[in-house]
Amino acid sequence: MKLYRFLSDDDTSAFCHKVTAALNKGWELHGGPTYAFDGANGVMRCGQSVVKEVQGTYTPDTRLSDH
C-alpha cells in the first residue's frame, strides 16, 4: 500500500529535522515544499508531502507515524 503524510511546522530547523527523520525512515518527498504566513502567530510555516510504499492493507486505523 502507499502511505501519504503531510509534515508541517514553523519555518525553523525543527521542520528540517522532521522531514529528515521521515526520509531516513524510508519516506520519499512528494512534490515541493509549501510556505505560508501564519498571521495569527506571526510566523512562516512550512509543509512537505511525503509518501512511502509498505506491505499490508490500508485502513483508517493505520498509524502513519509507525512506518
Side-chain angles (χ1 to χ4, degrees), residues 2-33:
K2 183 175 260 188
L3 302 177
Y4 170 89
R5 291 178 68 191
F6 183 75
L7 307 173
S8 64
D9 208 334
D10 291 348
D11 186 12
T12 66
S13 63
F15 172 74
C16 295
H17 286 287
K18 186 183 285 190
V19 174
T20 299
L23 294 173
N24 281 283
K25 290 182 178 179
W27 291 85
E28 296 182 15
L29 299 177
H30 182 73

Side-chain angles (χ1 to χ4, degrees), residues 24-44:
N24 281 283
K25 290 182 178 179
W27 291 85
E28 296 182 15
L29 299 177
H30 182 73
T34 60
Y35 300 94
F37 181 70
D38 178 350
N41 295 305
V43 297
M44 288 298 291

